Amino acid sequence: EPEVTQTPSHQVTQMGQEVILRCVPISNHLYFYWYRQILGQKVEFLVSFYNNEISEKSEIFDDQFSVERPDGSNFTLKIRSTKLEDSAMYFCASSGGPSVYGYTFGSGTRLTVV
Amino acid sequence: LAKTTQPISMDSYEGQEVNITCSHNNIATNDYITWYQQFPSQGPRFIIQGYKTKVTNEVASLFIPADRKSSTLSLPRVSLSDTAVYYCLVGRDDKIIFGKGTRLHILP
């Protein structure tokens, strides 16, 4: 079964540092997403990406965040100047079409900001 | 996406059938009902989707009454490994908005 792969599985960074979370979506998928889940809380939508541009973003996704699909296979989330409250699980997802059906999520990157 | 209401938590025992009901009174005509499952420290996983009546796959069944204002996810003969959070989603938009889900705890 095709998988969405995320690296690293766990990253620890110092407050104020920049981090890049990496994702390899399923190869024939066209829609890409980032979500985050703070410990004990619900999964929150950050951003959706299609045709090499952001199609929608939440209020959480401010200027601190950016996404990129640098080479046609990777999909990255960059967090500039991390804050303690950015500590969370970050999930990448991809889908073949614009529908809630058929999202495939990765196993996540646990980001710990110290 | 239509607002959904589901129990915060449920307990059941191994081997039992578990039914989780979700209310979605404001479901629109073109909305689908989709359920996702999330194990601890993992990403959500699609379980099942339906529009009306009954849908069954190898994992679960989804029962939807004629008025579509609610739906019931049925897990047959649960095991300890079915302990997870189950999310009911209603809509057809291009992004998933998760609620708090139902935390299902299976006891031995």
Side-chain angles (χ1 to χ4, degrees):
Chain A
E1 186 176 333
E3 290 184 343
V4 172
T5 305
Q6 289 187 244
T7 55
S9 57
H10 190 188
Q11 176 142 7
V12 180
T13 189
Q14 290 203 326
M15 192 169 52
Q17 296 296 302
E18 174 182 285
V19 295
I20 297 177
L21 309 183
R22 303 182 191 279
C23 169
V24 178
I26 292 174
S27 61
N28 62 347
H29 282 183
L30 301 175
Y31 296 80
F32 314 111
Y33 312 86
W34 282 101
Y35 287 77
R36 79 173 185 188
Q37 186 173 32
I38 295 170
L39 185 63
Q41 299 187 24
K42 63 183 182 181
V43 180
E44 300 174 292
F45 170 78
L46 292 178
V47 66
S48 58
F49 190 88
Y50 170 72
N51 201 25
N52 284 320
E53 61 182 22
I54 291 173
S55 47
E56 192 164 354
K57 59 184 180 179
S58 71
E59 61 274 11
I60 302 170
F61 194 89
D62 58 21
D63 291 343
Q64 180 194 10
F65 294 89
S66 63
V67 290
E68 192 178 32
R69 189 158 162 78
D71 56 14
S73 61
N74 291 285
F75 180 51
T76 63
L77 174 69
K78 181 188 292 185
I79 309 174
R80 287 181 282 274
S81 188
T82 50
K83 304 188 284 265
L84 294 176
E85 54 264 38
D86 294 327
S87 295
M89 283 287 286
Y90 287 82
F91 295 109
C92 172
S94 69
S95 70
S99 169
V100 297
Y101 171 63
Y103 275 50
T104 302
F105 283 81
S107 296
T109 293
R110 181 174 298 281
L111 177 66
T112 303
V113 182
V114 296
Chain B
L1 294 175
K3 179 177 168 58
T4 60
T5 303
Q6 52 184 126
I8 293 174
S9 66
M10 293 178 66
D11 290 341
S12 187
Y13 291 93
E14 278 193 294
Q16 299 293 306
E17 177 184 79
V18 171
N19 296 310
I20 306 174
T21 297
C22 178
S23 298
H24 27 81
N25 291 319
N26 296 322
I27 189 169
T29 303
N30 295 332
D31 285 346
Y32 279 77
I33 300 157
T34 310
W35 286 79
Y36 276 75
Q37 172 192 56
Q38 185 182 25
F39 295 116
S41 298
Q42 293 189 30
R45 183 176 76 107
F46 170 87
I47 301 176
I48 197 166
Q49 185 184 65
Y51 183 79
K52 61 180 180 180
T53 63
K54 177 184 174 183
V55 179
T56 297
N57 61 23
E58 64 278 5
V59 176
S61 294
L62 179 59
F63 298 92
I64 306 168
D67 67 5
R68 302 197 334 120
K69 292 183 183 301
S70 67
S71 58
T72 299
L73 175 73
S74 180
L75 305 171
R77 296 180 302 282
V78 294
S79 64
L80 295 176
S81 62
D82 292 313
T83 293
V85 179
Y86 293 81
Y87 300 96
C88 167
L89 308 165
V90 173
R92 55 181 177 86
D93 293 343
D94 64 353
K95 67 178 186 288
I96 296 176
I97 300 296
F98 288 91
K100 294 184 178 180
T102 297
R103 188 170 299 275
L104 176 64
H105 186 205
I106 306 302
L107 304 167

